[in-house]
Amino acid sequence: MGKIKASEAVIKLFENWGIDHIYGIPGDSIDTMVEALRKKESKIKFYQVRHEEVASLAAAAYAKLTGKIGVCLAIGGPGAIHLLNGMYDAKMDHVPMLVLVGHIPSRLTGTDYFQEVNTVDLFKDVAVYNKELTSAESFPTVVNQAIRTAYQERGVAVLSIPDDIPVGEISDHAAQLSTVFEKKVPGLVENDLSDAVALINAAKNPVILAGVGSKGAKKELMAFSERISAPVAVTLPGKGALPDEHPNFLGNIGKIGTKPAYEAMKSADLLIMVGTDYPYAAYLPEGAKCVQIDIDPVRIGKRYSVTVGIVGDAADALAYLTDHITPVTDRPFLKICQDRMAKWQSWMDEDKDNKKTPIAPQAVMSAIQSIAEDNAIFSVDVGTATVWSTRYLHVTNQDFLVSAWLGTMGCGLPGALAAKQAFPDRQAIAICGDGAFSMVMQDFVTAVKYNWPIIVVVLNNKQLSFIKYEQQSAGQLNYGIDLQDIDYAKFAEACGGKGFHVEKHEELQGAFEAAKASDVPVILDIAVDKDAAPLPGKIVMDEAKGYTKFATKSVVENHKLEKMPPMKDIMRHFI
């Protein structure tokens, strides 16, 4: 029985788990692990980023896309703190992540040493597994348990590693720890299924709300919807669970959603929630019965009063229900929903066909759609980019990647990096506002460095546009939202990529075709209409009052009437 360094045993363990890459930045307290990675670079690739936040956001995005654990590392102290944003994104979107954080040598812990941070306390809220290593001998065992816990709990496992631990020599047998793992999924309870069947058979106006948990049950969801002739709305992370082109599809729910989805919810007598923990109760039916399917029993009834809860895998539950319910071939409620959706879609098509300059962001979505491949990955940032992408992009077989629950600006670029690393042969398109992109723009050069030909679409309106309309809808005057412009096309060229600056609608399609044909990363810097309003799918009375208050306050305090969206658009979203 030989001896190896603990760091080398851990890297071998990573290989056994199928971990083939890690995102991060090297530095003193983590360099021993980086050295072990260097020796195994043919097996495990280390991707150097320019900011630790990008490392953790990319790791979270990788986990969302693949279901495999995302891994990142950083030094202790400032590097560890920078990781927090992506760690919370993984926590709140329930994906497995392993984080390796360097720490000062064990003998110096508690001495207020340079960069000493109590990382165990720092990560207490974000992690499902959170340990500081105490010995070289336990290092592989603790890593093994961390990975298992991250997978089972669908969360973040963090290891704080004192600098002296990885260099310790241990038995080479430690690298042979078992990596056999099978995630435990609750079995279905037949009585619950039977009760759900009875509720579904009795419903006149059932509506299905599909979340991210239904993405692994796309065929079953479609079959179930068709069997009972029920409309389907989706949550933001659930976009793609049912193709946008499906006749039963009503689009997204909520402020960024569609008016038909809102109206269907308010008319429903049965809500069927599949794999979602949707938080905005105001957009759900009032007083309807409810069937909820979720793999986590804690979420049953967490947001909405549930009549029947089904704990288990969505695909299995939907398959059972489809086999046992009475088929419905003619449901008047569905026909009403479809008619409303057809009208809504005609309005959306009008918006996308807008050929005016300044360029309508809706027209940009049309241009994206025209070059998007059937298996493209859309990595969508937070802000008005979310509204335009969710509402105007039609997803069929593509992946739609977002920071759903944390809603962190700056997620678009790291998601595209992870997408291209995970699936080199698939098209990766990041859709970002200028405010969000500028938070992480330094890592566009990471795509250049590793030859990841991503396309970054920057909707440049020189402002924090989503915040602009949040302020207005609350009756507040706009303040602190204007941005100093950056020439993102020149920035792309400076990084070694390609950049296109687009100001006129007639330049739009040519720029997108050139971006698609490029073999290097591209930034499309598109000057979009700063007055394009991301109106809610359905403007509710409180929002209407807020806009009225904003307009009145603007006249009184600024002595001018702010430019408002066309009355035609306002009425379409309000009445």
Side-chain angles (χ1 to χ4, degrees):
M1 189 178 296
K3 293 280 188 178
I4 59 173
K5 288 182 178 179
S7 58
E8 294 170 357
V10 167
I11 299 304
K12 179 61 180 175
L13 188 64
F14 285 169
E15 284 185 66
N16 295 344
W17 273 103
I19 294 170
D20 62 6
H21 71 285
I22 295 175
Y23 303 99
I25 298 178
D28 54 359
S29 61
I30 200 69
D31 275 345
T32 304
M33 290 303 302
V34 174
E35 169 67 4
L37 286 168
R38 182 191 66 79
K39 292 178 180 179
K40 284 286 190 178
E41 64 179 336
S42 63
K43 301 286 188 181
I44 302 177
K45 182 72 174 178
F46 176 69
Y47 292 112
Q48 173 217 64
V49 297
R50 296 302 183 95
H51 194 292
E52 291 93 347
E53 178 184 16
V54 172
S56 58
L57 284 170
Y62 174 83
K64 293 176 193 181
L65 285 168
T66 66
K68 299 177 183 177
I69 195 166
V71 187
C72 58
L73 62 77
I75 65 168
I81 294 165
H82 283 163
L83 291 171
L84 274 169
N85 206 29
M87 293 168 67
Y88 270 99
D89 185 54
K91 171 192 173 175
M92 296 177 75
D93 282 356
H94 307 295
V95 292
M97 178 189 283
L98 176 66
V99 177
L100 307 177
V101 173
H103 196 55
I104 62 173
S106 302
R107 70 182 187 280
L108 297 173
T109 297
T111 65
D112 296 329
Y113 196 68
F114 176 64
Q115 292 188 333
E116 182 178 4
V117 169
N118 187 337
T119 49
V120 173
D121 277 1
L122 177 70
F123 297 130
K124 190 175 293 183
D125 178 62
V126 76
V128 295
Y129 188 91
N130 182 19
K131 302 289 183 183
E132 181 177 327
L133 272 298
T134 57
S135 72
E137 288 77 13
S138 67
F139 193 5
T141 302
V142 173
V143 169
N144 204 39
Q145 188 60 30
I147 295 171
R148 290 175 180 277
T149 305
Y151 270 123
Q152 179 60 38
E153 301 295 328
R154 295 185 299 147
V156 181
V158 192
L159 298 178
S160 299
I161 309 166
D163 200 25
D164 52 312
I165 298 294
V167 296
E169 291 196 338
I170 62 174
S171 167
D172 59 7
H173 182 69
Q176 307 305 315
L177 287 166
S178 174
T179 56
V180 176
F181 176 78
E182 183 178 352
K183 184 174 173 61
K184 301 302 180 187
V185 178
L188 299 173
V189 176
E190 191 157 359
N191 285 345
D192 295 336
L193 293 164
S194 298
D195 290 344
V197 167
L199 278 179
I200 295 166
N201 285 341
K204 299 296 183 186
N205 299 350
V207 175
I208 300 166
L209 178 58
V212 68
S214 63
K215 280 190 168 180
K218 292 181 180 180
K219 287 190 285 189
E220 291 82 3
L221 176 65
M222 184 184 298
F224 175 66
S225 169
E226 292 172 352
R227 180 80 166 174
I228 63 171
S229 295
V232 179
V234 295
T235 64
L236 174 60
K239 187 171 173 70
L242 191 71
D244 283 48
E245 307 296 345
H246 193 279
N248 294 5
F249 184 70
L250 296 183
N252 280 73
I253 189 177
K255 185 171 289 191
I256 66 171
T258 71
K259 188 178 177 184
Y262 178 90
E263 292 168 335
M265 284 292 172
K266 293 307 176 182
S267 300
D269 61 359
L270 176 65
L271 174 64
I272 305 169
M273 301 174 69
V274 184
T276 178
D277 192 23
Y278 185 75
Y280 301 110
Y283 289 94
L284 298 179
E286 297 173 10
K289 294 180 179 179
C290 178
V291 173
Q292 184 177 359
I293 302 169
D294 204 289
I295 202 167
D296 185 351
V298 174
R299 295 195 186 97
I300 300 293
K302 181 178 178 181
R303 309 285 184 185
Y304 192 83
S305 180
V306 169
T307 314
V308 175
I310 299 173
V311 179
D313 180 75
D316 293 342
L318 290 172
Y320 179 98
L321 295 175
T322 302
D323 286 343
H324 290 80
I325 54 181
T326 303
V328 177
T329 57
D330 182 19
R331 191 183 294 277
F333 176 64
L334 176 61
K335 181 64 168 60
I336 292 170
C337 292
Q338 290 172 333
D339 289 345
R340 288 172 174 168
M341 192 61 185
K343 189 173 184 179
W344 172 269
Q345 194 54 57
S346 72
W347 295 343
M348 300 302 101
D349 290 342
E350 283 181 29
D351 294 342
K352 290 192 294 184
D353 198 40
N354 187 337
K355 294 179 171 57
K356 294 178 181 178
T357 296
I359 300 168
Q362 300 94 321
V364 179
M365 298 303 115
S366 182
I368 293 172
Q369 196 86 59
S370 73
I371 62 122
E373 296 169 0
D374 193 50
N375 67 344
I377 300 169
F378 300 123
S379 182
V380 180
D381 223 313
V382 169
T384 53
T386 316
V387 181
W388 307 129
S389 301
T390 304
R391 196 172 286 170
Y392 292 93
L393 280 182
H394 282 206
V395 172
T396 51
N397 296 316
Q398 295 97 346
D399 278 301
F400 191 87
L401 182 65
V402 291
S403 174
W405 275 85
L406 183 60
T408 180
M409 292 172 67
C411 65
L413 174 63
L417 298 178
K420 205 63 183 174
Q421 183 278 320
F423 303 103
D425 296 329
R426 293 175 64 182
Q427 190 182 43
I429 303 174
I431 306 170
C432 314
D434 50 338
F437 180 66
S438 60
M439 290 183 171
V440 295
M441 60 187 283
Q442 76 286 330
D443 267 284
F444 179 76
V445 78
T446 301
V448 175
K449 177 175 182 173
Y450 294 111
N451 193 29
W452 292 332
I454 63 175
I455 298 172
V456 180
V457 181
V458 179
L459 304 171
N460 190 346
N461 52 20
K462 304 179 187 63
Q463 63 184 6
L464 298 171
S465 187
F466 197 83
I467 308 303
K468 171 183 176 179
Y469 289 99
E470 281 185 334
Q471 290 176 348
Q472 291 183 9
S473 67
Q476 302 162 353
L477 294 183
N478 292 134
Y479 183 73
I481 61 164
D482 295 322
L483 300 175
Q484 179 66 31
D485 192 23
I486 298 172
D487 191 328
Y488 297 104
K490 283 184 179 179
F491 170 76
E493 301 285 347
C495 290
K498 285 185 179 179
F500 299 91
H501 186 71
V502 183
E503 290 194 358
K504 299 178 181 178
H505 184 275
E506 53 265 32
E507 302 167 346
L508 199 58
Q509 195 60 40
F512 271 92
E513 294 291 348
K516 182 177 182 179
S518 176
D519 58 358
V520 298
V522 174
I523 293 178
L524 289 160
D525 181 9
I526 303 173
V528 296
D529 185 358
K530 68 177 183 179
D531 293 318
L535 295 173
K538 167 69 175 179
I539 298 175
V540 298
M541 187 56 67
D542 284 348
E543 290 164 338
K545 290 178 180 177
Y547 283 120
T548 302
K549 183 180 178 182
F550 158 75
T552 303
K553 188 180 291 187
S554 181
V555 170
V556 172
E557 296 190 24
N558 294 338
H559 308 294
K560 67 175 183 177
L561 183 61
E562 296 287 345
K563 186 174 180 179
M564 300 293 287
M567 185 55 64
K568 175 187 71 172
D569 292 343
I570 293 174
M571 298 310 293
R572 283 175 171 178
H573 290 254
F574 184 63
I575 297 178

